[in-house]
C-alpha cells in the first residue's frame, strides 16, 4: 500500500526507457503528483486511473520493429491532454495517421533547435535554444490537423502539436537537465495547457499517508524492519504518527552493519519513537549461512530469506504473547523497484540487481504490506523526513544497502574481512562527513555542487604488494567510492580535493591492520551502479 493519490494526477506511460521514470520525477519536482503505468495499458485502464494529464516516455525500440511497444489508440481519444517525448512523439505520429522514417544521419546529444513563437508548449523559452536529442528514426509526415512547432538542422519535426485536442510531442527530451528549458516546457504543459495546480506538498503527502495507513491497519498490529537508515526511519515516523503503539519496530542485527552502528541504532530509536523496539541478535546465524558464499546474488538471497525468517520468529513471539501481527511496513522506495525490474513500476526495465525487501516471503509466511514510500525517490524521502520532524543527522544519513557490508566485500565474507572493511569505512565516513560539513558551512546547502551524496569503502577479493617500515607487505587494497547524486537513478563520481583523498589514504594505511593500498572508483552511473555488488 502506498499513500492515497491526490485528485490531480499525471500518468506516465512507460515505453521501456531505462530512465524514463525520471519524467515522473520532474513532474513531482513541480509539485504535481505522478504515477507510472505500462505503455500497453488499455484506454479503460488509463481512464480508471483518472489522470489529469498523460505523458508518453521515450524508448529504445523502432516504431516499425516487429515487437515494438504500441499504445491503445483509445488513450489518445480520452480527451485528456497528452505530451510525448522521443518514442512517445513517434508513436503519436504513427497512431494518428502520420509517418516515421529512418534517417540517414542520427542525432545524439545537444542540438540547436528553433521553435515557433505561437506554441504554448514553448512559451517563455528562447526561439533558438539547445535541446537533448537521441534518435535515428524521425517523424517525416505529421498526422492530420497537427502543426510542426519546432525543428533542428537534422530533424524537420522536432516538435508538433494539435492544440484543439491538446496533444503535444517533441523528438527531444525535455525531462533531462541537458535541455536547459525543458523544465519550463513541462511547467507550460502542466499549468498553462492542463490547468493543474502545484499543490502536491510534503504537508499533503504526510496527511494522505497517515490517513491511508490508519484506514488500512484499523486496530491491527504492524511490524517494521528498522535498520536505522533514512527509508525505514521515515516509514517508522509515518506509522508511529498514524498508529502509535500498534507498531513494533524490529532491528535485525546481521553483523554486517557499519562500525558501532548497532549500538547507535538502538540508542536512537528507543529514545526517538514511542513504539515497541525489538533488537534481534542474528550475527552468528548469518555468519554460518554466508560462510564460503561468493556470488553476490546468492548473498542477497540468503540475507533476504533469513531476514524474513527472523521477522517470522518475532511475529510468532508477538502472537504467542497475544499480539498477532497482520501487516509489515517496509521502506521500499522507487529506485528499489525500478532496479529490480518489477512490474509494479509499469516499466519494462531489465533487472539490475535484487533488493532484499522485494524478495518473496518464505513459504508459509504472509503479511499484508504497507509501503508508503514506494513511489518516492531518495531526496523526496529525505524531504519527507524533515517535514516529519526527524533530526537532520538522521535525515541526511548515508544510504546503506539492506545486505549491508556483505555486498561491499567482494568474495566470501569472513570475520577478518569484516574487521578490515568496518575500520576503513569508518575512516572514509569520518573524513567525508567533515568535508561535507565544511561545504555546508560555506554554501548553506546540504547538497551543494561538490558535496558527496554517498560514500563508502569496498574490499575487493585481491591482495597487493606494499612496503611498510622497510618490510614487504602483502595485504588488501581498499576501494573508495564517493558519488554525487540526488535520486540514485544517476550518479557521477565526486571530484574530491587531493588533500581529502590523501588524508583518507594515509589514515587507512596507517590505522587499518590488513590494508596497504587505497584506490578511487571514478566510474559514473550508468554504466556502473553505485554499489559494487
Amino acid at each position: 500500500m502506498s499513500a492515497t493519490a491526490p485528485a490531480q494526477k499525471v500518468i506516465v506511460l512507460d515505453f521501456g526507457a531505462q530512465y524514463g521514470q525520471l519524467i515522473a520525477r520532474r513532474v513531482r519536482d513541480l509539485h504535481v503528483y505522478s504515477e507510472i503505468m505500462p505503455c500497453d495499458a488499455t484506454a479503460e485502464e488509463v481512464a480508471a486511473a483518472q489522470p489529469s494529464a498523460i505523458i508518453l516516455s521515450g524508448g529504445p525500440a523502432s516504431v516499425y520493429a516487429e515487437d515494438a511497444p504500441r499504445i491503445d489508440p483509445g488513450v489518445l481519444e480520452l480527451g485528456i491532454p497528452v505530451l510525448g517525448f522521443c518514442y512517445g512523439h513517434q508513436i503519436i505520429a504513427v497512431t494518428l495517421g502520420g509517418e516515421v522514417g529512418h534517417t540517414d544521419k542520427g542525432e545524439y546529444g545537444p542540438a540547436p533547435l528553433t521553435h515557433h513563437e505561437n506554441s504554448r508548449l514553448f512559451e517563455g523559452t528562447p526561439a533558438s535554444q539547445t535541446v537533448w536529442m537521441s534518435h535515428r528514426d524521425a517523424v517525416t509526415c505529421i498526422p492530420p490537423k497537427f502543426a510542426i512547432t519546432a525543428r533542428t538542422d537534422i530533424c524537420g519535426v522536432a516538435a508538433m502539436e494539435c492544440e484543439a485536442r491538446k496533444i503535444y510531442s517533441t523528438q527531444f527530451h525535455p525531462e533531462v537537465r541537458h535541455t536547459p528549458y525543458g523544465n519550463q516546457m513541462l511547467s507550460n504543459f502542466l499549468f498553462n495547457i492542463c490547468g493543474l495546480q502545484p499543490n502536491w506538498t510534503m504537508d499533503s503527502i504526510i496527511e494522505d499517508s497517515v490517513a491511508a495507513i490508519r484506514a488500512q491497519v484499523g486496530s491491527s498490529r504492524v511490524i517494521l524492519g528498522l535498520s536505522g537508515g533514512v527509508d525505514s526511519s521515515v516509514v517508522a515516523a509515518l506509522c508511529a504518527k498514524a498508529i502509535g503503539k500498534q507498531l513494533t519496530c524490529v532491528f535485525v542485527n546481521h553483523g554486517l552493519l557499519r562500525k558501532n552502528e548497532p549500538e547507535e541504532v538502538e540508542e536512537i530509536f528507543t529514545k526517538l519513537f514511542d513504539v515497541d523496539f525489538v533488537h534481534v541478535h542474528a550475527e552468528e546465524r548469518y555468519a554460518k549461512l554466508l560462510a564460503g558464499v561468493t556470488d553476490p546474488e546468492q548473498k542477497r538471497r540468503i540475507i533476504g530469506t533469513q531476514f524474513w525468517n527472523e521477522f517470522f520468529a518475532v511475529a510468532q513471539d508477538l502472537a504467542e504473547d497475544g499480539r498477532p501481527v497482520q501487516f509489515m511496513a517496509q521502506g521500499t522506495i522507487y529506485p528499489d523497484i525500478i532496479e529490480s525490474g518489477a512490474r509494479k513500476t509499469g516499466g519494462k526495465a531489465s533487472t539490475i540487481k535484487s533488493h532484499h525487501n522485494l524478495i518473496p516471503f518464505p513459504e508459509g509466511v504472509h503479511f499484508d504490506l504497507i509501503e508508503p514510500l514506494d513511489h518516492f525517490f531518495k531526496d523526496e524521502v529525505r524531504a519527507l523526513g524533515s517535514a516529519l520532524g526527524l533530526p537532520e543527522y538522521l535525515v541526511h544519513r548515508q544510504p546503506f544497502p539492506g545486505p549491508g557490508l556483505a555486498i561491499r566485500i567482494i568474495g566470501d565474507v569472513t570475520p577478518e574481512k569484516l574487521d578490515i572493511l568496518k575500520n576503513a569505512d569508518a575512516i572514509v565516513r569520518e573524513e567525508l562527513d567533515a568535508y561535507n560539513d565544511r561545504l555546508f558551512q560555506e554554501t548553506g546547502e546540504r547538497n551543494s555542487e561538490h558535496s558527496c551524496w554517498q560514500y563508502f569503502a569496498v574490499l575487493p577479493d585481491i591482495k597487493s604488494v606494499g612496503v611498510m617500515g622497510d618490510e614487504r607487505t602483502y595485504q588488501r587494497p581498499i576501494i573508495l567510492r564517493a558519488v554525487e547524486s540526488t535520486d540514485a537513478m544517476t550518479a557521477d563520481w565526486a571530484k574530491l580535493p587531493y588533500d581529502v583523498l590523501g588524508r583518507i589514504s594515509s589514515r587507512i594505511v596507517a590505522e587499518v591492520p590488513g590494508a596497504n593500498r587505497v584506490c578511487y572508483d571514478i566510474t559514473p552511473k550508468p554504466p556502473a551502479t553505485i554499489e559494487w555488488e
Side-chain angles (χ1 to χ4, degrees):
M1 181 216 75
S2 55
T4 303
Q8 291 185 148
K9 182 193 304 181
V10 174
I11 292 296
V12 178
L13 293 184
D14 183 6
F15 285 88
Q18 180 68 58
Y19 296 98
Q21 291 82 4
L22 287 176
I23 299 171
R25 167 62 197 281
R26 299 299 174 237
V27 172
R28 284 182 279 174
D29 282 347
L30 293 168
H31 302 294
V32 177
Y33 182 72
S34 59
E35 288 183 358
I36 308 292
M37 290 185 70
C39 61
D40 56 3
T42 65
E44 290 77 14
E45 290 170 334
V46 173
Q50 298 182 314
S52 306
I54 299 168
I55 298 179
L56 311 184
S57 82
S62 166
V63 293
Y64 293 122
E66 185 175 346
D67 58 348
R70 305 294 183 201
I71 188 174
D72 181 345
V75 170
L76 302 178
E77 306 297 334
L78 293 174
I80 299 168
V82 175
L83 176 61
F85 304 151
C86 192
Y87 189 89
H89 167 73
Q90 296 170 14
I91 205 70
I92 287 173
V94 297
T95 302
L96 296 180
E99 295 179 5
V100 172
H102 192 67
T103 60
D104 294 332
K105 186 176 181 181
E107 198 171 22
Y108 302 97
L113 173 137
T114 302
H115 73 81
H116 298 178
E117 293 183 1
N118 61 351
S119 172
R120 297 174 68 191
L121 186 65
F122 291 94
E123 187 175 342
T125 71
S128 297
Q129 57 185 279
T130 299
V131 297
W132 190 261
M133 286 285 196
S134 181
H135 73 101
R136 182 169 289 276
D137 289 357
V139 175
T140 55
C141 179
I142 63 175
K145 300 183 180 180
F146 272 69
I148 298 173
T149 56
R151 66 182 69 244
T152 69
D153 294 340
I154 293 175
C155 184
V157 188
M160 64 181 187
E161 65 183 51
C162 180
E163 188 172 6
R165 299 175 65 179
K166 291 189 176 180
I167 299 178
Y168 303 78
S169 63
T170 70
Q171 180 58 64
F172 59 89
H173 292 269
E175 75 274 21
V176 302
R177 300 301 189 193
H178 305 293
T179 299
Y181 296 95
N183 214 46
Q184 180 63 50
M185 297 173 205
L186 278 173
S187 180
N188 289 340
F189 176 69
L190 296 174
F191 307 128
N192 299 346
I193 294 171
C194 301
L196 305 184
Q197 297 297 318
N199 56 14
W200 191 62
T201 64
M202 285 300 156
D203 287 343
S204 69
I205 292 167
I206 292 172
E207 183 179 341
D208 290 343
S209 297
V210 167
I213 291 169
R214 285 175 178 166
Q216 185 180 15
V217 171
S219 60
S220 300
R221 293 197 62 81
V222 178
I223 194 170
L224 165 68
L226 187 56
S227 67
V230 179
D231 306 331
S232 63
S233 299
V234 172
V235 173
L238 280 173
C239 290
K241 186 178 181 68
I243 57 175
K245 286 288 190 180
Q246 293 170 244
L247 174 67
T248 297
C249 292
V250 180
F251 171 53
V252 176
N253 185 354
H254 46 33
L256 305 167
L257 296 172
R258 293 166 286 201
K259 189 174 183 178
N260 300 325
E261 196 164 32
E263 295 79 12
E264 293 173 358
V265 169
E266 182 163 3
E267 181 180 0
I268 291 170
F269 290 102
T270 52
K271 294 180 179 179
L272 192 60
F273 298 110
D274 185 24
V275 296
D276 292 332
F277 181 88
V278 179
H279 187 157
V280 179
H281 287 278
E283 299 97 311
E284 292 185 4
R285 292 188 288 276
Y286 273 97
K288 290 179 181 178
L289 290 168
L290 290 170
V293 177
T294 60
D295 179 74
E297 281 299 293
Q298 189 178 357
K299 289 181 190 177
R300 288 177 178 272
R301 285 192 293 270
I302 288 171
I303 293 168
T305 299
Q306 187 61 23
F307 168 81
W308 296 121
N309 291 339
E310 300 295 341
F311 257 70
F312 182 54
V314 174
Q316 274 191 323
D317 290 343
L318 291 172
E320 291 171 1
D321 194 34
R323 297 178 292 168
V325 175
Q326 180 180 345
F327 295 94
M328 175 181 285
Q330 293 195 120
T332 307
I333 65 172
Y334 218 3
D336 294 340
I337 296 174
I338 294 166
E339 289 193 339
S340 295
R343 179 66 174 179
K344 188 174 185 178
T345 65
K348 299 181 179 300
S350 60
T351 298
I352 297 174
K353 58 186 177 183
S354 299
H355 285 266
H356 74 289
N357 52 3
L358 293 173
I359 297 172
F361 292 124
E363 185 177 353
V365 178
H366 176 76
F367 300 104
D368 294 330
L369 292 182
I370 298 173
E371 297 179 307
L373 306 180
D374 66 350
H375 275 70
F376 290 86
F377 292 95
K378 178 66 77 172
D379 62 322
E380 294 173 325
V381 175
R382 294 189 194 280
L384 185 56
S386 294
L388 284 163
L390 293 174
E392 284 298 297
Y393 70 86
L394 180 59
V395 169
H396 293 284
R397 194 170 189 171
Q398 284 282 293
F400 191 62
L405 298 179
I407 59 167
R408 292 179 179 172
I409 293 175
I410 312 303
D412 63 336
V413 179
T414 67
E416 177 196 7
K417 291 180 181 178
L418 271 172
D419 283 343
I420 294 173
L421 185 56
K422 285 182 180 181
N423 289 324
D425 185 75
I427 291 171
V428 169
R429 289 187 290 117
E430 182 179 329
E431 290 295 336
L432 291 184
D433 283 349
Y435 170 69
N436 268 354
D437 287 343
R438 289 196 298 273
L439 288 178
F440 177 64
Q441 292 171 3
E442 294 171 4
T443 65
E445 297 180 12
R446 182 59 66 180
N447 292 308
S448 61
E449 182 181 357
H450 299 292
S451 60
C452 298
W453 186 79
Q454 186 174 359
Y455 36 96
F456 53 88
V458 177
L459 187 68
D461 196 22
I462 57 173
K463 291 185 177 182
S464 66
V465 176
V467 178
M468 292 184 183
D470 295 327
E471 293 184 1
R472 178 184 182 275
T473 63
Y474 191 56
Q475 297 176 334
R476 297 191 180 276
I478 295 295
I479 296 169
L480 168 62
R481 181 68 159 151
V483 299
E484 301 167 356
S485 183
T486 57
D487 53 23
M489 295 299 297
T490 60
D492 196 9
W493 62 280
K495 314 305 187 290
L496 296 174
Y498 290 153
D499 64 318
V500 174
L501 291 171
R503 191 160 51 250
I504 291 171
S505 177
S506 296
R507 285 194 59 191
I508 288 176
V509 173
E511 300 175 27
V512 180
N516 68 351
R517 187 184 299 270
V518 177
C519 305
Y520 191 26
D521 180 354
I522 60 170
T523 317
K525 173 185 179 180
T529 56
I530 295 176
E531 296 288 348
W532 270 53
E533 288 192 343

